[in-house]
Amino acid sequence: VSASGKRLLTWGREAWASMWDAGTGLKACELHGHSHPIIVAQMVPTSGRVVTGSFDKTAIIWAGSSCQPLHALPHDHWVTKLWLVSDGAAVATLTGSGTVRLWSTQSGEQLRELVRQGDRLSYPAYSIVPFPHGDRLITFNFGAVIVWNTTSGDELLRLNSESNWTHDAAVSPGGDVIVTCTSRQVVVWDIVSFPGTARAIHRFEDLEPRPVHRRSKLCFVALGLGRAADPRGIGRGLSWRGLP
């Protein structure tokens, strides 16, 4: 949905998307330009533009008012995820190969590719999560959660939770706390009280074998609390017990 609430973007298994007038319920226009189905899309609230990612190894920036393509962004693999960063001035794209790139939503220029210690990420990024405001985002993969400065491309912090795949993460509204989930742990991290480092302030470790849906439910609850309020209080009452 657009920032004004007047436009609605939908897409399915086709190589095109539809823009709708939320007031009348009528289709305003269609976005044609991809050669393979669209996987993901975002509307840029500051400019009204649209960004789509596809199986055709491209992302496209569109004029939201006319549905006309403005810039095609080439990639090395399917564009599986994209998130707006720097308050909509840039978009971060993630491909099936695990590469994260930053692009200007105004010019379509590639701003940078996120690299670690002068080399590519040692493990491909599994997903990306932006901070609510400003110029930071998180990438996470096998055993590592990294906080990046999207303006400079520098690695700011690394959260090494355990040697299990981090499959989801959330950032508090104030940007000072991160919640991460692995196959056996939910960890709440303080990233501002200790300059230059991150410390786990709550850690919920499950050493017993449990059905996947039970672990996922606790993760879902923790992530929801992390996004909605100050997650420093998650430690009160969050437990594996009582989950169906």
Side-chain angles (χ1 to χ4, degrees), residues 66-238:
S66 64
C67 295
Q68 293 301 305
L70 301 175
H71 308 288
L73 318 178
H75 290 74
D76 60 339
H77 208 281
W78 306 335
V79 180
T80 58
K81 296 181 185 294
L82 53 85
W83 287 97
L84 299 172
V85 297
S86 301
D87 298 322
V91 60
T93 59
L94 172 66
T95 67
S97 66
T99 304
V100 179
R101 296 182 176 90
L102 297 172
W103 310 79
S104 166
T105 55
Q106 183 63 35
S107 66
E109 175 188 4
Q110 180 176 325
L111 303 175
R112 62 193 51 85
E113 179 179 326
L114 296 186
V115 296
R116 188 179 70 116
Q117 294 179 346
D119 200 356
R120 283 183 176 272
L121 296 171
S122 56
Y123 293 93
Y126 173 72
S127 190
I128 50 180
V129 176
F131 276 65
H133 304 286
D135 56 356
R136 292 178 294 169
L137 64 79
I138 299 170
T139 61
F140 50 92
N141 51 25
F142 186 84
V145 179
I146 301 175
V147 180
W148 302 86
N149 182 305
T150 56
T151 301
S152 65
D154 293 334
E155 177 183 325
L156 300 177
L157 287 173
R158 189 180 312 174
L159 289 58
N160 294 309
S161 54
E162 60 167 309
S163 58
N164 274 319
W165 195 281
T166 299
H167 59 80
D168 213 340
V171 184
S172 67
D176 59 338
V177 174
I178 295 174
V179 180
T180 60
C181 293
T182 72
S183 60
R184 288 191 178 275
Q185 285 188 339
V186 174
V187 184
V188 182
W189 303 86
D190 182 335
I191 63 170
V192 298
S193 298
F194 310 94
T197 187
R199 293 193 185 181
I201 55 178
H202 297 299
R203 188 186 300 269
F204 307 92
E205 188 168 7
D206 187 28
L207 299 179
E208 300 179 17
R210 299 180 189 272
V212 172
H213 75 275
R214 293 192 68 184
R215 297 197 299 267
S216 297
K217 282 191 175 183
L218 186 72
C219 178
F220 179 79
V221 170
L223 293 175
L225 289 171
R227 296 187 184 102
D230 182 358
R232 295 171 190 271
I234 288 178
R236 298 188 296 269
L238 186 63

